Short mmCIF file of all heavy atoms in Angstrom, two decimals:
data_model
loop_
_atom_site.label_atom_id
_atom_site.label_comp_id
_atom_site.label_asym_id
_atom_site.label_seq_id
_atom_site.Cartn_x
_atom_site.Cartn_y
_atom_site.Cartn_z
N TYR W 1 0.85 -1.14 0.08
CA TYR W 1 0.01 -0.04 0.02
C TYR W 1 0.84 1.27 -0.02
O TYR W 1 2.03 1.20 0.49
CB TYR W 1 -0.87 0.05 1.22
CG TYR W 1 -2.05 -0.91 1.26
CD1 TYR W 1 -2.14 -1.91 0.39
CD2 TYR W 1 -3.09 -0.80 2.22
CE1 TYR W 1 -3.32 -2.78 0.31
CE2 TYR W 1 -4.18 -1.65 2.19
CZ TYR W 1 -4.28 -2.72 1.22
OH TYR W 1 -5.30 -3.48 1.25
N GLY W 2 0.34 2.37 -0.41
CA GLY W 2 1.07 3.60 -0.38
C GLY W 2 1.31 4.04 1.06
O GLY W 2 0.50 3.68 1.99
N ASN W 3 2.45 4.72 1.37
CA ASN W 3 2.71 5.04 2.75
C ASN W 3 1.69 6.07 3.34
O ASN W 3 1.60 6.13 4.59
CB ASN W 3 4.14 5.62 2.82
CG ASN W 3 4.28 6.93 2.07
OD1 ASN W 3 3.38 7.37 1.33
ND2 ASN W 3 5.48 7.53 2.17
N TRP W 4 0.90 6.67 2.58
CA TRP W 4 -0.20 7.54 3.11
C TRP W 4 -1.23 6.81 3.86
O TRP W 4 -2.01 7.38 4.68
CB TRP W 4 -0.86 8.31 1.95
CG TRP W 4 -1.42 7.51 0.87
CD1 TRP W 4 -2.66 6.94 0.83
CD2 TRP W 4 -0.72 7.10 -0.40
NE1 TRP W 4 -2.77 6.19 -0.42
CE2 TRP W 4 -1.68 6.30 -1.13
CE3 TRP W 4 0.50 7.38 -0.96
CZ2 TRP W 4 -1.29 5.76 -2.30
CZ3 TRP W 4 0.91 6.82 -2.13
CH2 TRP W 4 -0.09 6.01 -2.91
N TRP W 5 -1.28 5.43 3.65
CA TRP W 5 -2.21 4.61 4.41
C TRP W 5 -1.87 4.57 5.90
O TRP W 5 -2.80 4.28 6.74
CB TRP W 5 -2.24 3.20 3.89
CG TRP W 5 -3.00 3.01 2.63
CD1 TRP W 5 -2.60 3.27 1.36
CD2 TRP W 5 -4.33 2.53 2.49
NE1 TRP W 5 -3.61 2.99 0.50
CE2 TRP W 5 -4.76 2.48 1.21
CE3 TRP W 5 -5.33 2.07 3.50
CZ2 TRP W 5 -5.93 2.09 0.69
CZ3 TRP W 5 -6.54 1.68 2.97
CH2 TRP W 5 -6.83 1.63 1.63
N PHE W 6 -0.65 4.90 6.27
CA PHE W 6 -0.24 4.78 7.74
C PHE W 6 0.47 5.94 8.20
O PHE W 6 0.87 5.99 9.39
CB PHE W 6 0.50 3.45 7.93
CG PHE W 6 1.71 3.35 7.10
CD1 PHE W 6 2.91 3.92 7.45
CD2 PHE W 6 1.67 2.55 5.91
CE1 PHE W 6 4.02 3.69 6.68
CE2 PHE W 6 2.81 2.48 5.11
CZ PHE W 6 3.98 3.03 5.46
N ASP W 7 0.86 6.89 7.40
CA ASP W 7 1.70 8.05 7.81
C ASP W 7 1.14 8.75 9.08
O ASP W 7 1.89 9.23 9.83
CB ASP W 7 1.86 9.06 6.65
CG ASP W 7 2.86 8.62 5.69
OD1 ASP W 7 3.71 7.75 5.96
OD2 ASP W 7 2.84 9.11 4.52
N ALA W 8 -0.22 8.81 9.09
CA ALA W 8 -0.79 9.57 10.20
C ALA W 8 -1.74 8.77 11.03
O ALA W 8 -2.45 9.31 11.95
CB ALA W 8 -1.56 10.77 9.61
N SER W 9 -1.94 7.48 10.82
CA SER W 9 -2.87 6.66 11.51
C SER W 9 -2.53 6.58 13.03
O SER W 9 -3.47 6.33 13.78
CB SER W 9 -2.89 5.21 10.93
OG SER W 9 -1.58 4.58 11.05
N HIS W 10 -1.26 6.76 13.47
CA HIS W 10 -0.97 6.75 14.90
C HIS W 10 -1.53 7.93 15.62
O HIS W 10 -1.51 7.90 16.79
CB HIS W 10 0.58 6.81 15.04
CG HIS W 10 1.19 7.96 14.49
ND1 HIS W 10 1.35 8.25 13.17
CD2 HIS W 10 1.81 9.12 15.23
CE1 HIS W 10 2.02 9.44 13.08
NE2 HIS W 10 2.27 9.95 14.22
N LEU W 11 -2.02 8.99 14.89
CA LEU W 11 -2.64 10.05 15.58
C LEU W 11 -3.92 9.68 16.25
O LEU W 11 -4.49 10.42 17.13
CB LEU W 11 -2.79 11.24 14.54
CG LEU W 11 -1.73 12.31 14.55
CD1 LEU W 11 -1.37 12.88 15.90
CD2 LEU W 11 -0.44 11.69 13.88
N LEU W 12 -4.60 8.55 15.72
CA LEU W 12 -5.69 8.03 16.47
C LEU W 12 -5.39 7.75 17.92
O LEU W 12 -6.14 7.99 18.82
CB LEU W 12 -6.21 6.74 15.76
CG LEU W 12 -6.91 6.92 14.42
CD1 LEU W 12 -7.01 5.55 13.69
CD2 LEU W 12 -8.37 7.42 14.70
N ILE W 13 -4.12 7.22 18.07
CA ILE W 13 -3.69 6.76 19.38
C ILE W 13 -3.34 8.03 20.22
O ILE W 13 -3.59 8.07 21.47
CB ILE W 13 -2.52 5.83 19.28
CG1 ILE W 13 -2.90 4.60 18.49
CG2 ILE W 13 -2.01 5.34 20.74
CD1 ILE W 13 -1.68 3.75 18.05
N VAL W 14 -2.71 8.96 19.58
CA VAL W 14 -2.38 10.22 20.19
C VAL W 14 -3.59 10.92 20.74
O VAL W 14 -3.67 11.46 21.85
CB VAL W 14 -1.67 11.21 19.25
CG1 VAL W 14 -1.42 12.57 19.85
CG2 VAL W 14 -0.23 10.54 18.90
N GLY W 15 -4.75 10.80 19.92
CA GLY W 15 -5.96 11.37 20.35
C GLY W 15 -6.56 10.68 21.49
O GLY W 15 -7.10 11.37 22.49
N MET W 16 -6.38 9.34 21.57
CA MET W 16 -6.89 8.50 22.68
C MET W 16 -6.08 8.93 24.02
O MET W 16 -6.60 9.07 25.09
CB MET W 16 -6.67 7.02 22.41
CG MET W 16 -7.59 6.45 21.40
SD MET W 16 -7.22 4.73 21.06
CE MET W 16 -7.66 3.96 22.59
N ILE W 17 -4.80 9.11 23.83
CA ILE W 17 -3.93 9.43 25.00
C ILE W 17 -4.32 10.86 25.50
O ILE W 17 -4.40 11.08 26.74
CB ILE W 17 -2.37 9.42 24.51
CG1 ILE W 17 -1.98 7.97 24.23
CG2 ILE W 17 -1.56 10.04 25.61
CD1 ILE W 17 -0.65 7.90 23.62
N TRP W 18 -4.58 11.72 24.61
CA TRP W 18 -4.86 13.17 24.98
C TRP W 18 -6.26 13.15 25.78
O TRP W 18 -6.36 13.84 26.66
CB TRP W 18 -5.00 13.99 23.71
CG TRP W 18 -4.70 15.39 23.93
CD1 TRP W 18 -5.41 16.36 24.73
CD2 TRP W 18 -3.50 16.29 23.47
NE1 TRP W 18 -4.86 17.53 24.67
CE2 TRP W 18 -3.66 17.50 23.97
CE3 TRP W 18 -2.45 15.89 22.69
CZ2 TRP W 18 -2.76 18.54 23.71
CZ3 TRP W 18 -1.55 16.94 22.37
CH2 TRP W 18 -1.69 18.23 22.89
N ALA W 19 -7.15 12.29 25.28
CA ALA W 19 -8.47 12.38 25.87
C ALA W 19 -8.37 11.72 27.36
O ALA W 19 -9.02 12.12 28.25
CB ALA W 19 -9.53 11.55 25.05
N THR W 20 -7.49 10.72 27.47
CA THR W 20 -7.33 9.96 28.74
C THR W 20 -6.69 10.92 29.81
O THR W 20 -7.17 10.86 30.98
CB THR W 20 -6.54 8.71 28.54
OG1 THR W 20 -7.13 7.95 27.54
CG2 THR W 20 -6.49 7.90 29.81
N TRP W 21 -5.73 11.62 29.42
CA TRP W 21 -4.99 12.48 30.43
C TRP W 21 -5.10 14.02 29.98
O TRP W 21 -4.08 14.70 30.11
CB TRP W 21 -3.51 12.02 30.49
CG TRP W 21 -3.39 10.63 31.14
CD1 TRP W 21 -3.57 10.36 32.42
CD2 TRP W 21 -3.11 9.47 30.45
NE1 TRP W 21 -3.41 8.95 32.60
CE2 TRP W 21 -3.03 8.44 31.38
CE3 TRP W 21 -2.75 9.14 29.10
CZ2 TRP W 21 -2.82 7.12 31.06
CZ3 TRP W 21 -2.51 7.85 28.77
CH2 TRP W 21 -2.57 6.81 29.77
N GLU W 22 -6.23 14.35 29.53
CA GLU W 22 -6.38 15.74 28.97
C GLU W 22 -6.00 16.82 29.96
O GLU W 22 -5.33 17.78 29.63
CB GLU W 22 -7.81 15.90 28.44
CG GLU W 22 -8.14 17.30 27.90
CD GLU W 22 -9.53 17.39 27.42
OE1 GLU W 22 -10.26 16.45 27.27
OE2 GLU W 22 -9.86 18.59 27.01
N ASP W 23 -6.49 16.69 31.18
CA ASP W 23 -6.30 17.75 32.18
C ASP W 23 -4.80 17.93 32.47
O ASP W 23 -4.32 19.04 32.52
CB ASP W 23 -6.99 17.45 33.51
CG ASP W 23 -8.56 17.59 33.37
OD1 ASP W 23 -8.96 18.27 32.38
OD2 ASP W 23 -9.24 16.94 34.07
N LYS W 24 -4.09 16.77 32.67
CA LYS W 24 -2.65 16.86 32.94
C LYS W 24 -1.91 17.36 31.76
O LYS W 24 -0.93 18.21 31.88
CB LYS W 24 -2.21 15.43 33.33
CG LYS W 24 -2.69 14.96 34.64
CD LYS W 24 -2.14 13.57 35.03
CE LYS W 24 -2.67 13.16 36.43
NZ LYS W 24 -2.12 11.80 36.81
N ILE W 25 -2.29 16.97 30.51
CA ILE W 25 -1.55 17.39 29.35
C ILE W 25 -1.79 18.83 29.14
O ILE W 25 -0.80 19.58 28.87
CB ILE W 25 -2.04 16.58 28.12
CG1 ILE W 25 -1.62 15.15 28.22
CG2 ILE W 25 -1.51 17.22 26.82
CD1 ILE W 25 -2.19 14.27 27.16
N THR W 26 -3.00 19.29 29.28
CA THR W 26 -3.36 20.73 29.14
C THR W 26 -2.63 21.65 30.19
O THR W 26 -2.07 22.70 29.79
CB THR W 26 -4.88 20.84 29.20
OG1 THR W 26 -5.53 20.18 28.18
CG2 THR W 26 -5.18 22.43 28.98
N GLU W 27 -2.56 21.17 31.39
CA GLU W 27 -1.93 21.87 32.39
C GLU W 27 -0.46 21.99 32.17
O GLU W 27 0.19 23.04 32.37
CB GLU W 27 -2.16 21.25 33.86
CG GLU W 27 -1.54 21.90 34.92
CD GLU W 27 -1.75 21.17 36.27
OE1 GLU W 27 -2.47 20.13 36.33
OE2 GLU W 27 -1.15 21.62 37.32
N PHE W 28 0.11 20.96 31.69
CA PHE W 28 1.60 20.94 31.37
C PHE W 28 1.92 21.82 30.24
O PHE W 28 2.85 22.60 30.25
CB PHE W 28 2.02 19.52 30.98
CG PHE W 28 3.46 19.35 30.70
CD1 PHE W 28 4.48 19.41 31.75
CD2 PHE W 28 3.90 19.30 29.41
CE1 PHE W 28 5.80 19.26 31.41
CE2 PHE W 28 5.28 19.18 29.07
CZ PHE W 28 6.25 19.21 30.05
N LEU W 29 1.05 21.85 29.25
CA LEU W 29 1.28 22.64 28.00
C LEU W 29 1.13 24.18 28.44
O LEU W 29 1.92 25.02 27.95
CB LEU W 29 0.27 22.38 26.97
CG LEU W 29 0.45 20.97 26.29
CD1 LEU W 29 -0.60 20.79 25.22
CD2 LEU W 29 1.79 20.86 25.66
N GLN W 30 0.12 24.44 29.26
CA GLN W 30 -0.09 25.85 29.73
C GLN W 30 1.10 26.36 30.59
O GLN W 30 1.50 27.48 30.56
CB GLN W 30 -1.39 26.05 30.47
CG GLN W 30 -2.61 25.81 29.60
CD GLN W 30 -3.94 25.79 30.47
OE1 GLN W 30 -3.89 25.70 31.69
NE2 GLN W 30 -5.07 25.84 29.75
N LYS W 31 1.59 25.46 31.46
CA LYS W 31 2.67 25.84 32.36
C LYS W 31 3.93 26.11 31.66
O LYS W 31 4.75 27.01 32.04
CB LYS W 31 2.93 24.71 33.36
CG LYS W 31 3.88 25.08 34.51
CD LYS W 31 3.95 23.91 35.48
CE LYS W 31 4.93 24.33 36.65
NZ LYS W 31 4.95 23.18 37.67
N HIS W 32 4.22 25.41 30.58
CA HIS W 32 5.47 25.60 29.80
C HIS W 32 5.22 25.99 28.32
O HIS W 32 5.83 25.51 27.40
CB HIS W 32 6.22 24.23 29.77
CG HIS W 32 6.46 23.74 31.12
ND1 HIS W 32 7.45 24.22 32.06
CD2 HIS W 32 5.86 22.69 31.83
CE1 HIS W 32 7.35 23.54 33.23
NE2 HIS W 32 6.44 22.63 33.12
N TYR W 33 4.18 26.78 28.19
CA TYR W 33 3.69 27.13 26.88
C TYR W 33 4.70 27.62 25.88
O TYR W 33 4.94 27.12 24.81
CB TYR W 33 2.56 28.08 26.91
CG TYR W 33 1.83 28.36 25.62
CD1 TYR W 33 0.87 27.40 25.05
CD2 TYR W 33 2.22 29.46 24.77
CE1 TYR W 33 0.27 27.54 23.90
CE2 TYR W 33 1.62 29.59 23.56
CZ TYR W 33 0.63 28.76 23.10
OH TYR W 33 0.03 28.83 21.87
N ILE W 34 5.48 28.66 26.33
CA ILE W 34 6.40 29.33 25.39
C ILE W 34 7.55 28.34 24.95
O ILE W 34 7.88 28.20 23.82
CB ILE W 34 6.96 30.57 26.06
CG1 ILE W 34 5.90 31.59 26.24
CG2 ILE W 34 8.17 31.16 25.20
CD1 ILE W 34 6.39 32.92 26.96
N VAL W 35 8.01 27.63 25.97
CA VAL W 35 9.12 26.66 25.66
C VAL W 35 8.73 25.57 24.76
O VAL W 35 9.36 25.26 23.78
CB VAL W 35 9.69 26.05 26.99
CG1 VAL W 35 10.69 24.96 26.77
CG2 VAL W 35 10.26 27.11 27.90
N ILE W 36 7.52 24.95 25.06
CA ILE W 36 7.03 23.81 24.30
C ILE W 36 6.77 24.27 22.86
O ILE W 36 6.98 23.59 21.86
CB ILE W 36 5.81 23.26 24.93
CG1 ILE W 36 6.16 22.57 26.28
CG2 ILE W 36 5.22 22.11 24.02
CD1 ILE W 36 5.02 22.06 27.06
N THR W 37 6.02 25.41 22.73
CA THR W 37 5.70 25.98 21.43
C THR W 37 6.92 26.21 20.58
O THR W 37 6.97 25.90 19.34
CB THR W 37 4.85 27.25 21.51
OG1 THR W 37 3.71 27.03 22.34
CG2 THR W 37 4.41 27.81 20.19
N SER W 38 7.95 26.80 21.14
CA SER W 38 9.21 27.16 20.41
C SER W 38 9.84 25.86 20.01
O SER W 38 10.28 25.77 18.83
CB SER W 38 10.19 27.92 21.37
OG SER W 38 9.55 29.21 21.80
#
């Protein structure tokens, strides 16, 4: 199959992880926003 079939499929799992620990992830991103964004 072409690599486009799986290039981004792992983002399904990233979405699951984000939903499971959303509060902790959001708090961490807000606390270190400038550093992480950069």
Side-chain angles (χ1 to χ4, degrees):
Y1 284 14
N3 59 357
W4 55 86
W5 281 82
F6 56 84
D7 279 342
S9 60
H10 65 288
L11 269 304
L12 286 162
I13 303 166
V14 174
M16 292 176 62
I17 294 171
W18 208 294
T20 304
W21 294 286
E22 181 178 351
D23 292 339
K24 291 182 179 180
I25 292 173
T26 302
E27 182 182 355
F28 181 77
L29 293 179
Q30 291 175 348
K31 187 176 181 180
H32 307 284
Y33 185 82
I34 295 178
V35 174
I36 295 174
T37 303
S38 301

